[in-house]
Amino acid sequence: MSSTRALALITGANQGIGLATARQLASTGKYHVLVTARSLDNAEAAVRELQTTAADPTALAPIAIDVTDDDSIAAAVESVSSQFGHLDILINNAGIGQPEPPQVSIRKAFRQVFEVNVFGAMAVTDAFLPLLRASSYHDRRIVNVTSGLGLISMAGKEGYAFNANAWYAPDYRSSKAALNMVTAAMSVKLKQEGIAVVAAAPGMCRTKFTGGQGRKDASDGARVVVRAATEGAGEEVNGTYVSDEPHDGW
């Protein structure tokens, strides 16, 4: 399927920041947005909601992806390949903040969080790389949605509202720190292919993920993700950390 619109896929796009990101991209009329969720039913429900505000309701498609399931990822790649033959922008948004159920061993807790936030994001990226390489789009990008809690420079910073005294969460913090390092390494590796890899930290937004806590709406956080995915020249934003929050570096 050919289109003049850039083809963007967002994991975990049926709620929260992922849904808000899909809404903002779809409202511009410049993107064909692949809306993913762990189940096709959830992805289809999100598409129906997004179609009410999209510039072109036909420029949205539901895709099922469970980022912890390699077979699910492979099926999603096959679906995108057969329908479009390429991918222009990949946004790794799916993530969890704490293990389920909460009463688990420390080893299992870290494994559950890393399985989604790190291994899931990288498995999706690796699987979709051939389709990104097949794209002729002038500004191919991979955006990894991270968090200020993953910044080592800020974990012990006195007076910082989200330092480790205020928000301990070593499993979540370390998963996002790992995602940051993978982002930095991939940005070096893929630079020669003209694929920019960017980290986007939307900040703490009032979503189901945060239990409704936060200073920002999901739409505010999504604007950071959209900026990382679409603004500036790819070679200039490659390997950068995009955020509205104050920080002292990674």
Side-chain angles (χ1 to χ4, degrees):
M1 180 182 296
S2 62
S3 172
T4 57
R5 295 184 176 95
L7 185 66
L9 184 147
I10 309 167
T11 63
N14 62 305
Q15 61 183 341
I17 292 170
L19 181 64
T21 299
R23 179 177 290 111
Q24 290 177 23
L25 290 177
S27 69
T28 68
K30 298 178 180 179
Y31 304 93
H32 194 115
V33 183
L34 304 182
V35 179
T36 85
R38 281 181 292 179
S39 74
L40 187 59
D41 285 346
N42 286 344
E44 289 174 339
V47 165
R48 287 192 294 272
E49 178 179 344
L50 292 166
Q51 285 174 330
T52 63
T53 56
D56 180 356
T58 68
L60 289 156
I63 302 283
I65 299 181
D66 179 346
V67 303
T68 67
D69 185 327
D70 289 342
D71 289 339
S72 173
I73 295 170
V77 171
E78 176 57 33
S79 177
V80 175
S81 179
S82 62
Q83 292 183 69
F84 303 96
H86 71 282
L87 181 65
D88 303 321
I89 299 168
L90 171 62
I91 301 175
N92 287 308
N93 167 75
I96 61 172
Q98 62 183 12
E100 296 291 344
Q103 290 80 26
V104 297
S105 69
I106 190 69
R107 187 184 299 276
K108 189 171 183 179
F110 271 76
R111 281 178 174 164
Q112 287 185 10
V113 174
F114 269 69
E115 191 66 49
V116 178
N117 295 358
V118 185
F119 308 149
M122 293 307 96
V124 169
T125 298
D126 185 67
F128 276 99
L129 258 179
L131 291 180
L132 284 159
R133 287 171 170 144
S135 168
S136 60
Y137 186 56
H138 70 282
D139 194 7
R140 295 169 294 167
R141 297 194 193 185
I142 298 167
V143 176
N144 293 325
V145 177
T146 185
S147 168
L149 295 186
L151 298 177
I152 295 173
S153 64
M154 302 299 287
K157 188 174 180 64
E158 292 291 334
Y160 179 51
F162 300 105
N163 66 24
N165 280 323
W167 298 85
Y168 182 49
D171 44 7
Y172 180 74
R173 283 183 180 274
S174 59
S175 74
K176 291 302 185 179
L179 184 63
N180 288 346
M181 177 53 76
V182 172
T183 302
M186 288 187 65
S187 72
V188 175
K189 180 70 172 178
L190 295 178
K191 180 180 180 179
Q192 60 191 353
E193 298 185 50
I195 300 174
V197 188
V198 188
M204 191 171 182
C205 301
R206 293 182 291 273
T207 65
K208 182 180 178 181
F209 181 90
T210 63
Q213 299 181 67
R215 302 171 178 175
K216 306 163 73 174
D217 289 329
S219 59
D220 298 320
R223 276 190 281 273
V224 177
V225 180
V226 170
R227 194 161 78 239
T230 67
E231 293 186 9
E235 61 270 20
E236 295 175 356
V237 300
N238 183 45
T240 63
Y241 173 89
V242 180
S243 176
D244 289 336
E245 311 297 324
H247 63 88
D248 294 336
W250 295 22

